[in-house]
């Protein structure tokens, strides 16, 4: 394996328990080379543990991992982390407090001769743009500076895979955007295989070439950002990736019938079975009364570039939420008519959580 | 923080209890640098005889400083010390008062007494030589101990210990500083191990094969051989024989334990009564029986174990002269690196 | 201490509360400094010809011996303490949990007791050499004996075996709270498990090791008993000799102060050497890193290795003492005074611990809330008593207490016309004062370590929520630093219980503790009579050590 050749990973049945708690259960996954993969999920879903297992600082209780075809973890094999050529960037950056920035950067280069170490440090410093920090100690750096030093340190030994655990979560909003852009640009330029752990679906959608959505130690869905967002495999996936209006309906001959309309549904269900429709807020639009389903405006929240409107449709017990990017002239309490854009409606077999699905919406607990 | 007030209250309560001691006239307060185990049998007998309760505090090396710091408020009545040097220190710091007492002057031989009657010796011990039982040795002088024939064969405790500085001071009083330095150098060269430990370690180390002779105090032999310290110590005591060494032109070096009445003694009468009791036949017998010391009172009984050493010929030089050399001797000990 | 207890006062008047804290802190530091000043005053009395004598005949040897002793103990405690800490935090093996607290047990045994125990155990007449002779077929020690333990090597080994927990304790805490991510990131940067220790853990633990070693060295400097037993002529012995044998207190004070300067210089040097490194505490996620499970054989070897210091530093001498105590008990029964002495020891140490802890809290907390340069100085000054040989500091406290007593006496005489006698010395308050002056450093240090773990943002939010300086302490800092306070309390307790020179010099009439009883017997060479007291000291000391292990940082983690 050449130094700069990005690696790919195959995980097979990886499991991990902490005492009685199952943290990872039979995870099988392929990570493509030279791409950015996001491990996405709420806290405690096992994504960080998976990252630690890939890096080698933790061991799975079962399963195999192959890196570019060669087994690094298996029943009879465990390649030590220092021999894997996998870089790791921690959420708190984990810069060595007793070493200067330059010494931190050279930490992973001990195998090289001094001169080569210096050259490599200079190269990575120039690439990340931190030449001015080189003699400082970690405690005197700002959060953004620490992040960049940590990135540079992880990249310095030219890892075949770079793992990043919530790399942007310690930065404040404005800084986060910029650092994320810069980091991505660097990763793309190098063309390394990167795995980024995040709990933020927006970040995953923006950053990942591939998203692995995890839930309770299992993989919920794997796909490109478009696949995950547009074709969620489960109500959980749909709701995790963005707000949804849940409607229960009856499946019948390739369609689902709900109180507000009937939609095509490609589900393998017997006729008469309960089914679920998740309607994105942007799939709904309203017009003056009389041109669609009759509804009433219950609340309006102005959000700048859009407006959030809660509307009540007979006979639903709960209001539906919609987003509108054009100004809505109707006042609260006014009668309106509701229209639907079928592309933003996802249908599933019923998950048994009822029309509202309350309590399972992970977005509520995370935001 | 409630705890603080509770502590304050507890401490004040404690203060009341502690300071309550020594108020009654039927009590007296004793500051001693003599170990409690040696003093207690005597005090018990005193309290039984007189009904006077004795409050004690064992202070070891800090006796002088504690007394001097407390000044006029000091509750101390009687001061007891293990060593003539310590007693002279007390006198020199002005912490004692003279006592005129028939009973005391009658009981204590003049050559042991302080001319100013500021302090009184109560018991004696000799600095003797312990020798391995099978060693062919019947007599020895202190001067002989520096003879190269003893090279690597002698055990002794630290040269800075008061027991030894007193002996070395006596040597210096007999000879002079230069001769003492030479003698100390020779003695140091003869040591089987570093100077250190206690006197009983001498006997133990003889049995342990480390040395052939040891320099130590007489009464330890009584404590060991009597079995009071257990069977092991009995074995140490029986592994040795005791030789009473002498100076070439004198006798065996002895030191005394003694007592004085504190300058600001609140209970002076009781204090004098204790001193007088301590030279009574009853008390002198306890010194001999319980502690295996030589009584100061002429004619008082000596324990058979101690008597078996032979007749003690006390060095005639006055202790008050000897102790004057202590500081210089202590510097000589450093100078020859005796303990190094 | 109304400024701490007053609940009725609205807490938001920050000005007054703050002023009171600074004043209290100054008062504590002042109290601790008085004995040192008293010694300075003593030293200034001059001691004719002392230094030329010392320079010519004492210092060359004593300095060399002291340097070797300190160097040896420093290196050995660092090695034992740090590797033991690494062993139990980085590896998993059967018995690790027990080992984790058992490694603290030597704290319970005073150095002089251990020295005495070993002297007897390893003496040619002792059980070990008797066994060796029996095996080799000799029947008398005159034919065969092993080298004498009474040597510099013996002293270094014994002191290190008892003092290493001072390094083990803070280093283990450092590994447990700070090392996880750093160790793991180092692994992913190509550092093997073996190399991690040298390249990451060790440099990271350096401040903790430095603190621990300096505590161990101060204990070494303070030691007279063990050095005396083992025949090592350190500077401390010279101080003692100058005072006792030559009745030269000014001279002794001069040497002690010179030693103090040396210690201060060494500590400052160490601080200076790592002046650019700061160990910012990340308040979040003090996660202990994944312990490396060791295979069976290696695990047993690790257990055996980790058990060595426990065995030699505690178990062997403790068992020996137990056996001696039992022998003595059968021979002479139990002295009824022993119970009273144990009670005195316990009550005195407990009361003193509370006071020392409270004062430590005042100083450490004031230094946190008012982080000006001046307060840092107060803070350093308050720690000074621990850096002096206890014997000499005790004399300083005696002079100070007696002075205060005289002053109180005069004041009481003038105001009420009564003479209260010696209020401080007569009541035992002087003992509390002595423990405060001597052990405040431990309390300040531990409390401070606890406080630094509390993010500053908590202070700010508490203040904006209407808590004054005092209310903030009660509602935020005290609850959050409870484990650190407990650890400090237990260390102070064990130290008070073992303390000898000040206790001996300053206790009231008819008041004995286990330590003074022990000394009384040891001083006349009747060690066997002291066996039960020695065993009792160890017993009383074990309890807080076990408690310490339970409340210490991360102790409850798996």
């Amino acid at each position: 394996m050449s130094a700069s050749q990005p690696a790919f990973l195959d995980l097979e049945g990886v499991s991990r328990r902490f005492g009685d708690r199952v943290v990872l259960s039979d995870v099988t996954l392929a990570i493509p080379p030279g791409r950015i993969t996001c491990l996405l999920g709420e806290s405690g879903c096992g994504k960080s543990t998976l990252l630690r297992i890939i890096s080698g600082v933790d061991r799975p209780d079962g399963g195999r991992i192959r890196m570019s075809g060669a087994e690094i973890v298996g029943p009879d094999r465990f390649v030590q982390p220092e021999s894997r050529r996998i870089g790791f960037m921690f959420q708190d950056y984990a810069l060595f407090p007793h070493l200067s920035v330059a010494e931190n950067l050279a930490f992973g280069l001990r195998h090289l001769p001094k001169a080569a170490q210096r050259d490599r440090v200079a190269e990575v410093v120039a690439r990340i743009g931190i030449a001015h920090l080189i003699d400082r100690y970690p405690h005197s750096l700002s959060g953004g500076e620490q992040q960049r030093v940590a990135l540079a340190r992880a990249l310095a030994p030219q890892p075949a895979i770079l793992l990043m655990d919530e790399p942007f979560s310690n930065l404040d909003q404005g800084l986060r955007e910029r650092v994320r852009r810069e980091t991505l640009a660097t990763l793309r330029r190098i063309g390394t295989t990167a795995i980024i752990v995040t709990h933020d679906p927006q970040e995953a959608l923006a950053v990942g070439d591939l998203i692995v959505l995890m839930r309770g130690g299992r993989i919920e869905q794997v796909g490109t950002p478009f696949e995950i967002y547009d074709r969620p495999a489960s109500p959980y996936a749909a709701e995790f990736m963005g707000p949804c209006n849940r409607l229960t309906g009856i499946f019948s001959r390739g369609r689902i019938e709900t109180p507000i309309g009937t939609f095509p549904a490609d589900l393998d269900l017997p006729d008469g079975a309960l089914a679920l429709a998740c309607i994105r807020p942007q799939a709904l639009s309203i017009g003056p009364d009389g041109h669609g389903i009759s509804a009433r405006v219950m609340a309006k929240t102005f959000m700048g570039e859009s407006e959030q409107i809660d509307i009540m449709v007979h006979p639903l017990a709960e209001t539906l939420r919609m987003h509108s990017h054009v100004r809505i002239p109707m006042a609260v309490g006014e009668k309106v008519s509701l229209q639907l854009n079928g592309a933003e409606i996802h249908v599933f077999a019923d998950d048994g959580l009822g029309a509202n699905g309350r309590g399972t919406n992970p977005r509520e607990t995370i935001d | 923080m409630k705890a603080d007030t509770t502590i304050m209250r507890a401490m004040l309560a404690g203060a009341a209890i502690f300071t309550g001691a020594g108020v009654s006239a039927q009590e007296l307060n004793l500051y001693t640098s003599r170990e409690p185990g040696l003093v207690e049998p005597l005090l018990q007998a005193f309290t039984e005889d007189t009904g006077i309760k004795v409050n004690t505090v064992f202070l070891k090396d800090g006796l002088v400083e504690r007394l001097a710091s407390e000044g006029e408020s000091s509750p101390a009545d009687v001061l007891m010390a293990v060593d003539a040097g310590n007693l002279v220190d007390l006198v020199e710091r002005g912490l004692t008062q003279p006592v005129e007492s028939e009973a005391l002057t009658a009981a204590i031989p003049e050559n042991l007494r302080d001319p100013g009657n500021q302090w009184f010796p109560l018991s004696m011990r000799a600095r003797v030589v312990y020798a391995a039982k099978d060693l062919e040795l019947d007599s020895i002088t202190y001067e002989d101990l520096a003879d190269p024939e003893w090279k690597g064969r002698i055990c002794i405790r630290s040269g800075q210990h008061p027991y030894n500085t007193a002996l070395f001071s006596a040597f210096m009083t007999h000879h002079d500083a230069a001769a003492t330095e030479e003698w100390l150098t020779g003695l140091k060269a003869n040591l089987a191990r570093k100077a250190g430990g206690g006197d009983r370690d001498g006997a133990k180390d003889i049995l342990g094969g480390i040395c052939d002779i040891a320099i130590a105090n007489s009464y330890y032999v009584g404590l060991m051989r009597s079995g009071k310290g257990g069977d092991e110590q009995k074995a140490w005591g029986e592994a040795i024989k005791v030789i009473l060494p002498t100076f070439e032109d004198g006798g065996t070096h002895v030191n005394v334990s003694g007592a004085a009445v504190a300058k600001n003694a609140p209970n002076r009468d009781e204090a004098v009564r204790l001193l007088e009791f301590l030279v009574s036949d009853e008390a002198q017998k306890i010194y001999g029986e319980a502690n295996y010391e030589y009584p100061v009172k002429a004619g008082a009984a000596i324990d058979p174990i101690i008597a078996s050493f032979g007749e003690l010929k006390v060095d005639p030089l006055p202790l008050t002269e000897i102790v004057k050399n202590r500081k210089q001797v202590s510097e000589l000990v450093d100078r020859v690196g005796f303990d190094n | 201490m109304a400024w701490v207890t007053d609940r009725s006062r609205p807490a938001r008047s920050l000005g007054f509360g703050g002023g009171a804290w600074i004043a209290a802190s100054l008062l504590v530091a002042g109290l601790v400094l008085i004995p040192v000043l008293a010694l300075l005053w003593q030293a200034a009395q001059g001691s004719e010809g002392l230094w030329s004598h010392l320079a010519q005949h004492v210092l060359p040897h004593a300095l060399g011996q002291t340097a070797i002793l300190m160097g040896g103990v420093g290196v050995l405690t660092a090695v034992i303490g740090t590797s033991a800490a690494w062993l139990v935090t980085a590896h998993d093996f059967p018995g690790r949990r027990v080992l984790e607290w058992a490694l603290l047990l030597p704290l319970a045994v005073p150095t002089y007791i251990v020295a005495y125990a070993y002297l007897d155990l390893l003496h040619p007449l002792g059980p070990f050499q008797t066994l060796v002779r029996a095996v080799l077929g000799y029947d008398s020690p005159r034919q065969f004996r092993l080298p004498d333990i009474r040597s510099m090597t013996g002293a270094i080994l014994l002191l290190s075996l008892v003092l290493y927990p001072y390094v083990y304790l803070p280093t283990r805490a450092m590994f447990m709270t700070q090392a996880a991510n750093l160790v793991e990131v180092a692994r992913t940067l190509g550092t093997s498990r073996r190399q991690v220790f040298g390249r990451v853990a060790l440099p990271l633990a350096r401040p903790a090791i430095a603190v621990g070693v300096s505590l161990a060295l101060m204990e070494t400097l303070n030691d007279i008993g063990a050095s005396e037993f083992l025949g090592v002529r350190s500077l401390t012995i010279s101080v003692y000799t100058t005072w006792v044998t030559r009745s030269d207190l000014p001279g002794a004070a001069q040497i002690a102060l010179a030693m103090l300067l040396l210690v201060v210089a060494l500590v400052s040097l160490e601080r200076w050497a790592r002046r650019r490194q700061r160990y910012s505490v990340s308040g979040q996620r003090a996660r202990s890193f994944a312990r490396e499970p060791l295979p069976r054989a290696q695990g047993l070897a690790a257990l055996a290795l980790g058990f060595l210091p426990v065995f030699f530093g505690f178990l062997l001498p403790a068992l020996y003492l137990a056996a001696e105590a039992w022998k003595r008990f059968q021979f002479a029964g139990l002295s009824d005074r022993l119970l009273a002495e144990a009670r005195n020891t316990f009550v005195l140490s407990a009361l003193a611990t509370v006071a020392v802890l409270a004062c430590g809290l005042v100083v450490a907390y004031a230094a946190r809330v008012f982080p000006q340069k001046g307060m840092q100085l107060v803070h350093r000054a308050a720690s000074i008593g621990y850096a002096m040989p206890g014997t000499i500091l005790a004399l300083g406290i005696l002079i100070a207490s007696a002075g205060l007593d005289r002053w109180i006496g005069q004041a009481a005489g003038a105001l009420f016309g009564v003479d209260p006698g010696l209020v401080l010395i007569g009541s035992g308050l002087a003992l509390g004062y002595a423990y405060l002056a001597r052990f405040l450093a431990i309390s300040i240090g531990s409390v401070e370590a606890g406080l630094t773990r509390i993010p500053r943002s908590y202070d700010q939010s508490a203040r904006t929520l209407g808590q004054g300086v005092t209310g903030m302490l009660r509602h935020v800092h005290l609850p959050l630093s409870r484990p650190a306070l407990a650890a400090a309390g237990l260390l102070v307790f064990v130290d008070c219980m073992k303390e000898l020179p000040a206790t001996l010099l300053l206790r009231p009439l008819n008041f004995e503790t286990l330590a003074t009883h022990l000394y009384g017997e040891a001083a006349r060479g009747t060690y066997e009579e002291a066996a039960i007291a020695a065993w009792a000291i160890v017993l009383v000391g074990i309890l807080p050590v076990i408690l310490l292990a339970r409340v210490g940082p991360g102790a409850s983690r798996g």
Side-chain angles (χ1 to χ4, degrees), chain C residues 190-554:
Chain C
T191 314
S192 73
R193 207 167 67 224
R194 279 173 218 289
Q195 292 169 333
V196 154
F197 178 69
R199 288 187 61 193
V200 180
L202 203 58
L204 198 67
R206 191 169 139 194
I209 297 173
V211 166
V213 167
S214 63
L215 290 183
L217 289 185
M218 286 178 204
E219 292 284 340
T220 306
L221 265 187
N222 181 41
D223 167 77
I224 287 184
S227 304
E228 176 86 53
F229 277 136
L230 297 167
V232 172
R233 320 304 302 173
S234 66
L235 268 177
T236 316
I237 300 276
S238 305
V239 173
Y240 186 73
T241 302
T242 305
W243 168 44
V244 174
T245 313
R246 296 200 273 275
S247 309
D248 182 1
L249 182 54
Q254 286 175 11
I255 311 175
L257 289 167
M259 286 168 69
L260 177 65
L261 279 181
L262 201 71
V263 170
V264 170
L266 282 177
V267 171
S268 317
L269 190 71
E270 203 283 331
R271 275 175 198 265
W272 181 82
R274 54 182 165 89
R275 65 202 174 283
R276 291 185 66 191
Q277 308 164 5
R278 195 175 313 143
Y279 295 75
S280 52
V281 184
S282 65
Q284 47 178 323
R285 302 206 308 178
R287 178 171 59 87
S288 59
F289 51 93
R291 294 198 173 87
E292 181 73 29
L294 296 177
R296 184 125 197 105
Q298 276 189 41
L300 289 176
L303 180 65
L305 195 67
F307 192 65
L308 281 181
V310 184
F311 181 76
F312 287 113
F314 174 77
L315 217 54
L316 190 60
L319 283 176
Y320 165 81
L321 278 179
E324 288 297 302
W326 176 245
K327 257 195 258 172
R328 193 63 204 166
F329 175 71
Q330 287 185 316
F331 186 78
L334 200 60
S335 156
D336 47 348
R337 286 188 326 205
L338 205 65
L339 209 63
E341 288 164 1
R343 198 190 54 224
N344 284 346
T345 306
F346 193 84
V347 171
L348 180 66
S349 304
L351 287 176
T353 300
V354 175
V356 174
L357 215 52
C359 291
L361 191 63
V362 166
V363 176
Y365 185 62
R368 174 188 172 97
V369 179
F370 308 98
Q372 293 89 343
K373 259 253 157 2
M375 288 308 284
Q376 301 303 318
L377 215 63
V378 168
H379 174 278
R380 296 269 167 83
S383 304
I384 213 166
Y386 197 59
M388 292 195 89
T391 321
I392 292 302
L393 185 71
L395 288 166
I397 293 160
L398 172 66
I399 298 168
S401 308
L404 287 172
D405 269 343
R406 261 201 301 282
W407 181 75
I408 293 171
Q410 280 161 8
L415 290 174
F416 312 112
V418 291
D419 177 11
L422 299 167
V423 175
L424 293 180
I425 297 178
S427 68
L429 276 175
L431 279 178
Y433 184 19
Y435 296 155
L436 178 69
R438 180 129 180 81
F439 301 129
L440 187 61
I442 299 179
S443 150
I444 294 178
S446 314
V447 173
E448 200 180 30
L451 289 179
T452 46
R453 280 173 218 272
I454 301 171
R456 291 262 168 205
S457 56
Y458 289 23
D459 295 30
Q460 286 139 18
S461 57
R463 295 294 285 267
T464 54
L465 289 169
Q467 291 295 343
V469 175
T470 305
M472 182 164 80
L473 174 70
R474 188 162 62 225
H475 298 301
V476 180
H477 292 90
L478 270 186
L480 286 177
S481 51
R482 198 170 293 149
L485 282 173
L490 296 165
L491 273 182
V492 171
F493 181 88
V494 172
D495 262 324
C496 286
M497 199 191 68
K498 294 191 289 191
E499 206 285 338
L500 182 63
T503 315
L504 196 63
L505 190 62
L506 293 164
R507 70 200 194 290
L509 286 157
N510 298 339
F511 186 88
E512 296 293 334
T513 66
L514 291 172
T516 60
H517 173 124
L518 178 64
Y519 181 75
E521 299 295 351
R524 66 177 182 122
T526 45
Y527 302 110
E528 66 286 347
E529 307 239 8
I532 300 178
W535 175 233
I537 290 187
V538 173
L539 277 186
V540 178
I542 291 176
L543 189 72
V545 169
I546 292 174
L547 280 173
L548 173 63
R550 301 212 162 271
V551 302

Side-chain angles (χ1 to χ4, degrees), chain B residues 214-235:
Chain B
I215 300 165
N217 280 353
S218 50
Y219 55 83
Y220 287 115
V221 181
L223 289 169
M224 290 188 287
R225 282 192 193 161
S226 67
K228 281 186 184 172
D231 292 341
E232 283 173 21
Q233 293 198 18
K234 202 164 177 189

Side-chain angles (χ1 to χ4, degrees), chain C residues 61-81:
Chain C
H61 186 76
L63 270 180
Q65 295 275 293
T66 309
I68 296 171
L69 183 67
M70 306 263 283
V73 172
V75 169
L76 213 54
T77 50
V79 168
I80 301 175

Side-chain angles (χ1 to χ4, degrees), chain A residues 182-232:
Chain A
E182 288 172 7
T183 305
L184 275 181
T186 306
L187 294 180
R188 301 251 182 249
R189 203 162 48 233
I190 298 170
T192 186
T193 307
I195 305 177
I196 298 177
V197 157
T198 178
H199 65 266
D200 178 357
Q202 296 306 318
E203 186 165 283
L205 291 170
V207 166
D209 296 318
L210 187 72
I211 293 177
V212 177
L213 178 62
M214 296 184 63
R215 179 193 187 187
R218 295 173 185 278
I219 292 177
E220 185 81 3
Q221 188 177 359
V222 179
T224 65
F226 288 104
E227 285 166 351
I228 295 261
Y229 191 84
D230 290 342
R231 293 198 293 281

Side-chain angles (χ1 to χ4, degrees), chain B residues 110-113 115 170 173 315-324:
Chain B
E110 201 176 347
N111 68 322
L112 293 174
R113 270 204 321 262
T173 317
D315 193 49
L317 288 180
L319 279 173
T320 42
E321 285 303 306
I322 291 172
V323 298
K324 285 178 188 158

Side-chain angles (χ1 to χ4, degrees), chain C residues 124-181:
Chain C
L125 298 178
F128 180 70
Q129 292 214 38
T130 306
L131 183 74
V132 171
R133 281 199 304 274
V135 169
L136 297 179
Y138 294 104
D139 42 35
S140 154
R142 294 205 169 254
Q143 293 165 329
F144 175 83
R145 58 189 155 82
L146 296 173
D148 203 339
I149 179 86
R150 282 167 287 198
S151 62
M152 178 57 87
T153 318
I156 291 174
L157 277 173
L158 289 192
L159 286 175
S160 302
L161 278 171
V162 188
L163 298 176
Y164 79 84
Y166 285 99
V167 181
Y168 168 76
L169 196 59
T171 308
R172 183 180 67 125
M174 185 65 135
F175 286 153
M176 294 188 86
T177 55
Q178 302 292 304
N181 288 354

Side-chain angles (χ1 to χ4, degrees), chain B residues 55 61 204-205 233 330, chain C residues 120 123 240 246 354 510 528:
Chain B
N55 304 304
D61 307 312
K204 192 179 172 189
D205 287 348
Q233 293 198 18
S330 164
Chain C
D120 219 24
H123 193 272
Y240 186 73
R246 296 200 273 275
V354 175
N510 298 339
E528 66 286 347

